[in-house]
Amino acid sequence: MEVAVALPVVALAAPAPATLDAVQVQAARVHAVDDFDLPASITTQDVDAHGNGRGVLVSEALGGVPGLLARERQNLAQDTQLSIRGFGARSTFGVRGVRLLVDGVPATMPDGQGQLSHFNLLGAERIDVLRGPFSALYGNSSGGVVQLWSADGQAGDPWRLRASAGSDNSRSLGLQLRGLAGAMRYNVAASDYRADGWRRHSAARRQSLNARLGFEMAPGQRLDLLFNVLDAPRAQDPLGLDRTQVREDPRQATAVASLYDTRKSVRQAQAGAVYTLQRSRQTWRLMAYAGQRTVAQFLAIPPAAQANALHAGGVIDLDGGYGGVDARWAWHGTLAARPLELVIGANADRQRQHRSGHENFVGDVLGVRGRLRRDQRDRVGNVDSFAQAWWQFAPRWSLLAGARHSRVDFRSDDRYIAAGNPDDSGRRQYTATTPVAGLVFRAGQDLRLYASAGRGFETPTFNELGYRADGGAGLALDLSPATSRTLELGAKWRTRAGTRLDLSLFHTDTDDELAVASNSGGRSSYRNIGATRRRGMELGWRQPIGEAQHLQLAWTWLQASVREGYLTCSGLPAPCTAPRNPVAPGTALPGVPRQLLQARWDWRPDRWQLAAETVAAGATTSTDLGDGRAPGYALVNLEAARQWHTASGPLRLFARVDNVLDRRYIGSVIVNDGNRRYYEPGPDRSWTLGLEWQWSPH
């Protein structure tokens, strides 16, 4: 249990408990108050221990969340495309505009760039998704929040071994050890996944280890230790395709992908600790974490483009560390004889990164590390303070309000100074205060109505600051943060039979939205384009049918468009070095389908499990001008599983078939690709077959 919406706050307990309950940092709950009574759009996805897919990529667990779009790109070099209510849709790699956390530890760096690659599903219990105004209380780049939680070890928990194989020579192997040993609760999960890839030149391997160790130190005290390791030594990048290539052969890789052997490797290791102390009506919490991450990426930039003295080369090397601390105090009491929850805290995060660039050729040999072309030390950090309160000021009314003040500092020290390439060092500071507030009205025993409003902001990332739009030397320090204002109205309905219905209407206006200014020589620069608007409706419905069946439906209607016209580099001619193509007011933002529908039926008679699901998405534009367009699609997937009880423990056989009807479709788009290769085709009919065995170590 937690104390505040959109702030990772600990549980408040009665005086001097004998033991401290499992403490988890979680979005949007107040002590003793269910999220049903909070003015926010919150969805909790259980990561089913009996899932029937590969159990590797986070997109597998995010189906059925209204407002959220998670697209697997058939390209592990670029990770899952993730956006919430249109925020993050422009990202060409990684995740930006959406805040990510794993067991309360940020997976988004201070500049707003995040990664999903180290989300380990094998050890996970659930994923919380927060949408709407209260997301802003997470600070910079919080158009939404996604948090993964590892299960807390309990006495008698089984250990399990899971293996699967499937289409395109994909195979996964995972081991989870979970339980209670003395005063230590443990959950250790290791997985190995490898595949040749549905498209050519898309083979990849990914190994992950996640551990959560919880210690009951004394009555009212607990220490959680968190460890995570990711090793993705070589993920091939097939690049996007143009429309003609998709028609000819959607499984092909772009010719230059093989010519330059485009690929990416990532290694990351991090550790964290959370200490919690509960005394009467007060709770103190201190969290600290640190990690190291290295990335090497080989791009398909031709040598001629690198002849420019200011060009940073076709190989990107990133090596650096990151870390942070978070301290907060929570109090539970009354105001005017009515329940009151209060939290006050502060956090600081830092990232230091050595960024170097090399040519991707040596003589006539392509796709190798060549001469140094960039050498800089980047630092970015934030210092935030926040306060939030929940107050039930009347029997049928409650108020949730808070504010967060953020300061984000960027600094870059250039160590590569040569003829025609001057010192590019620079620094920039951004500050913002993001207030939010919401009211809930208890209309009936099973019905809640709410309204909320808030402000948010999004700074440029280091990647977006890296190149000036005018082609000159130095960082794009003239970029301003995007600022947004969001209003939301919602209704929540629950029944004792288990029916859950959530409806929300939202309206977000953004100023100084960031978009591509120029795209030339394999590099993109950015600028502030003015005003945009995102408005829409979300519907989530969960319906049990008897004791063995379950229906789930998630529907999103989203109109994301330009409010003020501007000039862009999308379209012809390509490459583009200066904005010249007008974008009219009302033009749809790229990467955002107008409608998204996800439905699932699940039936578990006795030892069997049968499921059918459908995913349908509207057409998606791929450029600011709207001239590139991926058509909409509808897919059907089927699952089946059977469990046997053995003397050693339960044994389960499971199978899944994706795209049963073998439809051709575009699974994702690369927004504003400078070579007009916008499309990443989705796979045809594919299958997964696996076994899972659970046993007791006692």
Side-chain angles (χ1 to χ4, degrees):
M1 290 182 294
E2 299 71 31
V3 194
V5 170
L7 291 175
V9 180
V10 296
L12 295 169
T19 59
L20 181 66
D21 290 338
V23 175
Q24 296 193 352
V25 180
Q26 183 184 76
R29 288 187 182 169
V30 180
H31 171 65
V33 179
D34 189 85
D35 59 9
F36 181 47
D37 290 298
L38 297 176
S41 295
I42 309 160
T43 301
T44 296
Q45 289 286 94
D46 293 328
V47 179
D48 194 346
H50 301 308
N52 301 318
R54 292 164 295 181
V56 175
L57 304 179
V58 71
S59 57
E60 299 178 54
L62 288 175
V65 179
L68 182 146
L69 179 65
R71 283 177 157 170
E72 187 182 333
R73 305 178 63 178
Q74 309 305 311
N75 182 355
L76 289 183
Q78 302 297 345
D79 216 341
T80 300
Q81 277 188 342
L82 182 72
S83 64
I84 291 180
R85 294 184 176 178
F87 287 99
R90 290 176 179 268
S91 180
T92 56
F93 64 93
V95 178
R96 58 114 57 254
V98 176
R99 205 75 181 171
L100 308 175
L101 298 99
V102 178
D103 289 326
V105 174
T108 299
M109 295 297 102
D111 68 343
Q113 187 75 44
Q115 303 292 334
L116 287 163
S117 52
H118 68 290
F119 276 46
N120 188 311
L121 290 184
L122 186 64
E125 179 181 50
R126 70 188 189 280
I127 299 177
D128 291 339
V129 180
L130 173 64
R131 310 174 300 283
F134 281 95
S135 304
L137 284 181
Y138 278 94
N140 179 27
S141 297
S142 297
V145 181
V146 176
Q147 298 201 61
L148 179 141
W149 296 103
S150 302
D152 199 31
Q154 305 290 339
D157 281 345
W159 293 2
R160 62 176 176 142
L161 180 67
R162 193 177 195 277
S164 70
S167 300
D168 308 310
N169 200 25
S170 66
R171 56 264 194 218
S172 66
L173 180 65
L175 175 66
Q176 183 190 29
L177 310 178
R178 194 176 83 184
L180 178 66
M184 181 181 74
R185 302 175 186 270
Y186 64 91
N187 180 1
V188 181
S191 62
D192 179 281
Y193 173 69
R194 59 191 72 189
D196 291 345
W198 181 71
R199 292 180 59 196
R200 287 182 281 277
H201 196 76
S202 63
R205 179 181 181 183
R206 179 179 291 180
Q207 296 175 307
S208 177
L209 172 67
N210 193 80
R212 177 182 175 184
L213 310 176
F215 300 89
E216 310 294 341
M217 302 175 64
Q221 296 185 58
R222 173 162 170 155
L223 177 66
D224 284 282
L225 301 180
L226 310 168
F227 304 94
N228 183 275
V229 177
L230 169 72
D231 184 18
R234 182 184 173 90
Q236 295 177 323
D237 187 349
L239 304 178
L241 302 178
D242 62 30
R243 191 178 298 276
T244 300
Q245 291 171 321
V246 171
R247 284 197 298 264
E248 292 174 348
D249 180 10
R251 302 191 65 166
Q252 68 176 300
T254 303
V256 293
S258 299
L259 184 65
Y260 289 90
D261 191 15
T262 49
R263 61 196 185 275
K264 182 180 181 181
S265 63
V266 178
R267 287 179 173 84
Q268 177 176 303
Q270 70 179 37
V274 180
Y275 172 72
T276 307
L277 173 64
Q278 294 183 347
R279 287 291 181 266
S280 185
R281 293 178 178 271
Q282 301 183 69
T283 303
W284 298 84
R285 175 183 177 274
L286 178 65
M287 184 271 288
Y289 71 99
Q292 189 78 18
R293 182 178 177 89
T294 62
V295 179
Q297 185 170 11
F298 288 73
L299 306 175
I301 299 176
Q306 300 173 57
N308 185 334
L310 297 177
H311 203 283
V315 180
I316 300 172
D317 266 325
L318 304 175
D319 185 5
Y322 57 91
V325 294
D326 184 294
R328 57 192 67 209
W329 167 80
W331 178 78
H332 169 62
T334 60
L335 176 64
R338 289 290 178 182
L340 174 69
E341 310 279 353
L342 176 66
V343 58
I344 299 173
N347 70 281
D349 304 277
R350 291 288 184 271
Q351 181 186 14
R352 295 176 180 267
Q353 184 171 262
H354 179 201
R355 179 188 296 261
S356 60
H358 298 258
E359 294 174 343
N360 58 355
F361 62 93
V362 176
D364 295 330
V365 181
L366 304 177
V368 296
R369 192 186 310 272
R371 185 165 57 98
L372 181 70
R373 298 296 300 273
R374 186 176 195 172
D375 184 7
Q376 67 189 54
R377 271 67 172 176
D378 295 334
R379 285 179 288 175
V380 59
N382 69 275
V383 177
D384 290 18
S385 55
F386 49 83
Q388 185 167 325
W390 176 85
W391 185 34
Q392 186 179 354
F393 60 89
R396 302 178 69 181
W397 290 89
S398 61
L399 169 69
L400 186 63
R404 187 181 189 104
H405 180 76
S406 302
R407 190 189 74 202
V408 185
D409 293 286
F410 291 84
R411 177 173 177 176
S412 181
D413 296 320
D414 188 7
R415 308 292 178 88
Y416 181 80
I417 302 171
N421 192 329
D423 189 346
D424 296 341
S425 301
R427 61 172 57 192
R428 177 72 191 268
Q429 182 181 102
Y430 299 96
T431 60
T433 299
T434 52
V436 295
L439 280 171
V440 174
F441 174 63
R442 183 174 178 143
Q445 185 68 27
D446 300 328
L447 179 63
R448 304 291 185 270
L449 305 176
Y450 71 89
S452 59
R455 295 176 59 87
F457 82 110
E458 181 177 339
T459 71
T461 66
F462 251 123
N463 291 316
E464 292 163 343
L465 289 171
Y467 304 96
R468 286 172 42 177
D470 61 7
L475 301 179
L477 299 179
D478 59 333
L479 291 178
S480 299
T483 58
S484 60
R485 303 170 302 282
T486 299
L487 299 174
E488 181 174 331
L489 300 175
K492 303 177 183 182
W493 182 49
R494 305 284 190 272
T495 70
R496 293 183 179 180
T499 301
R500 296 171 60 100
L501 184 66
D502 296 88
L503 176 67
S504 61
L505 305 173
F506 59 89
H507 182 110
T508 301
D509 284 339
T510 301
D511 296 323
D512 291 325
E513 182 103 23
L514 291 162
V516 171
S518 64
N519 207 325
S520 179
R523 302 296 185 189
S524 296
S525 62
Y526 294 81
R527 69 188 184 101
N528 299 104
I529 61 172
T532 60
R533 174 168 291 163
R534 297 168 175 86
R535 58 185 178 183
M537 177 186 299
E538 295 170 354
L539 174 67
W541 177 43
R542 299 185 184 187
Q543 178 67 56
I545 304 175
E547 296 183 357
Q549 297 185 65
H550 180 85
L551 285 176
Q552 181 176 342
L553 174 71
W555 173 71
T556 305
W557 176 80
L558 174 61
Q559 184 182 51
S561 60
V562 175
R563 287 162 50 211
E564 297 177 0
Y566 64 97
L567 299 178
T568 183
C569 255
S570 296
L572 295 174
C576 177
T577 57
R580 68 191 71 185
N581 306 109
V583 178
T587 303
L589 295 180
V592 182
R594 178 66 65 91
Q595 294 194 66
L596 179 65
L597 173 68
Q598 302 168 86
R600 179 180 174 89
W601 167 78
D602 191 279
W603 183 32
R604 303 193 181 195
D606 195 22
R607 299 179 183 179
W608 284 89
Q609 178 191 1
L610 302 173
E613 64 182 28
T614 184
V615 178
T620 306
T621 59
S622 54
T623 70
D624 290 331
L625 291 172
D627 54 349
R629 187 179 180 87
Y633 59 85
L635 307 177
V636 176
N637 310 315
L638 298 177
E639 297 178 7
R642 173 69 159 84
Q643 182 169 286
W644 293 268
H645 295 292
T646 71
S648 301
L651 179 67
R652 195 171 69 94
L653 174 68
F654 59 89
R656 178 180 169 97
V657 180
D658 289 285
N659 193 6
V660 171
L661 303 179
D662 204 22
R663 301 293 191 189
R664 277 197 171 188
Y665 69 103
I666 303 298
S668 58
V669 298
I670 305 172
V671 172
N672 290 327
D673 182 78
N675 297 296
R676 302 180 67 82
R677 296 193 294 258
Y678 308 123
Y679 308 111
E680 295 178 304
D684 50 22
R685 185 186 299 117
S686 60
W687 58 271
T688 299
L689 182 66
L691 278 171
E692 182 176 280
W693 174 43
Q694 299 185 23
W695 75 97
S696 174
H698 308 294

